[in-house]
């Protein structure tokens, strides 16, 4: 797929061709996927206290049951096809749950009071904070899965293969399942079937705090004594081999051993030559009967457990820190059980993208380092849309696999002063991100109503909604409106923002051209038209039944009043008839314009305001 992007106005010119007659036997046409990431603990919390380091009694906590049929119906109306429920597996948390025999984690090795969702303590249970009745916590999650499926949306949860909580306690293991580390030889640093790496002869020491940090903000707690019993010490999650990791290491976690020795040698079979061109079935067959490290089997069993609960797919944390051969093994086993499972992952090194997609059999990777970072720079006002075409050209073989987003739990909120400040400033980027490729689009809850993430929750800094503490999410709470989920407390401007997201996302779900071909028009217009600047971006999308031209204006102050020229390559491909015709905007339904086709070429009149986007259809 070729691409060209112009940031100023997204003008989608839809030139509809006659669609072929459908039949009952015709397969369903591909649709764009839209993922709604929601931090499960925060979604339903209506408490507005927001005390730094506040307890769940003080600040409140959301539950599975807060995702009512009404809430899910409203999420679906945004155009959402998949919900990623972040933070479902039982992770480390401060507080006792005597009803289920679960004691508090140690504040010295927990970040925040509510704990990191990426320090999983028990992979065969859900976070007890999320249940109204903790003795029925799994049943409450199963009911949420059923409600989500009732709304025709898929369920995604996190799997974190690179590391687990410093205190892993499998109290809910199925029969025959052994805990991580239960059978390890702790006298050696490394053994193929050990689940962890060890530092023999040294005990773990809690990191020296920095910048005045105190666990729980200095609150007295019987376990907050600067000590944690772990002897011998294990390697820390980010790979630190020190018995006393640094304060900025992932000290609340320990790294999983996948059969890679400390000097990098692999104690497992390598994939055969040409494996990147083989489908998941061939990968599954390759691993049958192979002797693989114990950690591989443990995570295979974990994912199979959740598939059995009705989960439709997984988001894999820090996938690049785990060998690609493991992903081939794991993902082919997942697909063998559920061929349409949705598998997305964090990989931040573009040089590794193809390995993890084609060798590791990932469906989707974050397009963070290339597209997100470039768009963020343009939103800031420092970047140029001239940098976009090269990104899309370099991804011609991977474009479908590069998941697009402008927010997630790791990134700054668009509306935060540290990022855009005004959430409307990112709308041209949203339209480009959502329409430029066949890949999925992801939004983060609260993004659609301009959540700024301004709270001082305790652990961490404002501009990102805290994933470590009990906190309310103010803009989202206004939309939630005490459980009515009707936006009743939003301002007119905030309602308009949510409606904008809804129109964009629903358009992408229903436009067949967005699962078709791509050609950038930006470079041609930059060379032909001085009035077309590096604040604009334009491209064409089409299939057999629909033709689109997308143009965007990223400029905060200047309108775009010029013509957009269609390149000779596009004219040859589309074979447009000579003449002038009126074309109507269909994404937002606001305007019409003229398309002129002559022997000398073709052009479209543009009149787009700052940050404006539009989509036109020609019949």
């Amino acid at each position: 797929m070729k691409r060209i992007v112009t940031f100023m106005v997204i003008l989608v010119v839809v030139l509809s061709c006659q669609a072929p007659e459908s039949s009952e036997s015709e397969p369903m046409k591909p649709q764009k996927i839209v993922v709604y990431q929601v931090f499960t603990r925060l979604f339903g919390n209506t408490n507005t206290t927001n005390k730094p380091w506040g307890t769940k009694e003080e600040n409140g906590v959301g539950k599975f049951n807060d995702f009512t049929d009404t809430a899910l119906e409203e999420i679906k109306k945004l155009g959402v096809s998949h919900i990623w429920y972040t933070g479902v597996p039982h992770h480390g948390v401060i507080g006792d749950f005597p009803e289920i025999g679960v004691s508090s984690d140690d504040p010295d090795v927990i970040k925040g009071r509510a704990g990191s969702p990426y320090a999983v303590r028990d992979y065969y249970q859900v976070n007890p904070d999320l249940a109204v009745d903790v003795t029925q916590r799994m049943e409450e999650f199963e009911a949420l899965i059923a409600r989500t499926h009732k709304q025709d949306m898929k369920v995604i949860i996190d799997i974190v293969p690179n590391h687990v909580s410093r205190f892993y306690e499998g109290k809910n293991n199925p029969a025959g399942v052994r805990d991580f580390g239960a059978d390890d030889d702790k006298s050696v640093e490394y053994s193929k079937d050990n689940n962890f790496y060890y530092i023999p002869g040294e005990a773990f020491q809690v990191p020296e705090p920095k910048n005045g940090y105190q666990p729980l903000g200095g609150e007295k707690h019987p376990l907050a004594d600067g000590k944690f019993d772990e002897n011998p010490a294990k390697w820390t999650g980010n790979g630190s081999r020190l018995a006393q990791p640094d304060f900025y290491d992932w000290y609340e976690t320990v790294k999983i051993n996948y059969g890679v020795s400390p000097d990098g040698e692999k104690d497992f079979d390598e994939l055969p030559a040409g494996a990147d061109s083989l489908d998941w079935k061939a990968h599954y067959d390759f691993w049958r009967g192979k002797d693989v490290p114990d950690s591989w089997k443990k995570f295979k069993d974990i994912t199979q457990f959740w598939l059995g609960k009705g989960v439709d797919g997984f988001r894999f944390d820090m996938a690049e820190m785990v060998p690609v051969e493991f992903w081939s093994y794991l993902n082919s086993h997942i697909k063998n059980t559920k061929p349409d499972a949705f598998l997305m992952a964090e990989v931040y090194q573009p040089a590794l993208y193809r390995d993890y997609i084609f060798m590791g059999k990932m469906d989707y990777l974050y397009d963070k380092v290339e597209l997100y970072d470039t768009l963020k720079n343009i939103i800031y006002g420092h970047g140029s849309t001239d940098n976009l075409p090269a990104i899309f050209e370099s991804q011609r073989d991977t474009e479908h696999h590069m998941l697009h987003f402008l927010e997630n739990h790791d990134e700054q909120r668009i509306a935060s002063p540290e990022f855009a400040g005004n959430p409307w400033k990112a709308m041209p980027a949203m339209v480009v991100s959502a329409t430029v490729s066949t890949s999925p689009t992801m939004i983060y809850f609260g993004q659609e109503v301009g959540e700024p993430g301004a709270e001082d929750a305790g652990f961490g800094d404002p501009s990102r909604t805290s994933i470590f503490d009990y906190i309310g999410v103010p803009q989202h709470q206004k939309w939630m409106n005490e459980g009515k989920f009707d936006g009743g407390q939003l301002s007119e401007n905030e309602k308009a923002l949510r409606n904008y997201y809804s129109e964009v996302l629903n358009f992408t779900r229903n436009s067949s051209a967005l699962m078709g071909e791509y050609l950038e028009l930006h470079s041609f217009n930059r060379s032909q038209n001085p009035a077309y600047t590096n604040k604009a971006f334009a491209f064409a999308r089409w299939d057999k039944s629909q033709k689109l031209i997308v143009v965007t204006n990223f400029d905060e102050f200047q309108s775009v009043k010029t013509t957009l020229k269609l390149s000779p390559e596009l004219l040859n491909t589309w074979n447009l008839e000579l003449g002038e015709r009126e074309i109507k905007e269909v994404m937002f339904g606001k305007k019409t314009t003229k398309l002129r086709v002559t022997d000398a070429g073709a052009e479209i009149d543009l009149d787009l305001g700052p940050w404006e986007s539009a989509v036109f259809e020609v019949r």
Side-chain angles (χ1 to χ4, degrees), residues 344-417:
M344 67 172 174
E346 271 185 307
V347 174
Y348 293 137
Q349 299 181 63
L352 298 179
Y353 286 170
R354 286 162 183 81
D355 283 349
Y356 282 81
I357 293 168
F358 300 122
M359 302 281 279
K361 297 302 160 191
M362 292 294 184
D363 292 328
Y364 307 107
L365 306 181
Y366 280 20
D367 197 347
K368 194 274 183 193
V369 174
E370 293 182 325
L371 184 60
Y372 169 82
D373 284 351
T374 301
L375 288 175
K376 186 173 185 179
N377 204 31
I378 295 168
I379 294 167
Y380 271 137
H382 308 316
S384 165
T385 55
D386 292 343
N387 295 320
L388 290 169
I391 293 173
F392 301 131
E393 179 63 23
S394 71
Q395 294 178 354
R396 290 179 64 180
D397 62 332
T398 60
E399 64 85 24
H400 178 67
H401 304 280
M402 303 309 299
L403 179 136
H404 294 175
F405 63 89
L406 295 180
E407 280 192 6
N408 64 45
H409 67 278
D410 285 321
E411 306 299 339
Q412 290 177 315
R413 290 287 194 174
I414 294 167
S416 69

Side-chain angles (χ1 to χ4, degrees), residues 389-518:
I391 293 173
F392 301 131
E393 179 63 23
S394 71
Q395 294 178 354
R396 290 179 64 180
D397 62 332
T398 60
E399 64 85 24
H400 178 67
H401 304 280
M402 303 309 299
L403 179 136
H404 294 175
F405 63 89
L406 295 180
E407 280 192 6
N408 64 45
H409 67 278
D410 285 321
E411 306 299 339
Q412 290 177 315
R413 290 287 194 174
I414 294 167
S416 69
E418 294 83 354
F419 186 179
N422 185 340
W424 289 96
K425 193 173 183 179
M427 290 307 97
M430 184 64 213
V431 179
V432 170
S433 176
T435 62
V436 78
S437 79
T438 67
S439 65
T441 301
M442 184 173 76
I443 66 168
Y444 188 37
F445 87 114
Q447 175 182 344
E448 71 276 23
V449 290
E451 172 58 41
E455 295 71 43
D456 177 9
F459 190 92
D461 299 315
S463 81
R464 294 170 177 83
T465 296
S466 175
I467 66 171
F468 304 106
D469 289 283
Y470 301 109
I471 201 73
V473 184
Q475 287 295 104
H476 170 73
Q477 289 175 326
K478 290 164 67 176
W479 170 75
M480 199 165 48
N481 193 21
E482 298 294 334
K484 297 184 182 71
F485 303 101
D486 61 2
Q489 298 177 33
L490 295 173
S491 69
E492 291 306 309
N493 185 59
E494 292 157 354
K495 290 177 182 177
L497 181 69
R498 192 174 192 276
N499 186 62
Y500 191 103
Y501 272 98
S502 179
E503 296 214 32
V504 171
L505 296 175
N506 277 288
F507 180 82
T508 67
R509 292 278 292 152
N510 295 312
S511 171
S512 65
L514 297 184
M515 293 303 292
E517 301 300 314
Y518 165 94

Side-chain angles (χ1 to χ4, degrees), residues 14 25 56 90 106 183 194 225 242 258 292 306-307 313 336 386 393 495-496 534 586 602 613:
V14 180
S25 61
K56 58 189 168 188
H90 183 181
D106 190 323
D183 302 310
N194 275 2
D225 56 3
L242 301 175
Y258 282 92
V292 299
W306 289 107
L307 291 174
N336 188 59
D386 292 343
E393 179 63 23
K495 290 177 182 177
N534 69 347
V586 292
S613 300

Side-chain angles (χ1 to χ4, degrees), residues 576-594:
L576 299 176
E577 293 182 359
L578 298 177
E580 180 178 280
R581 70 199 77 179
E582 186 175 78
I583 53 178
K584 184 179 180 181
E585 199 272 336
V586 292
M587 181 181 277
F588 304 107
K590 290 183 178 179
K591 60 176 67 180
T592 60
T593 191
K594 300 290 185 180

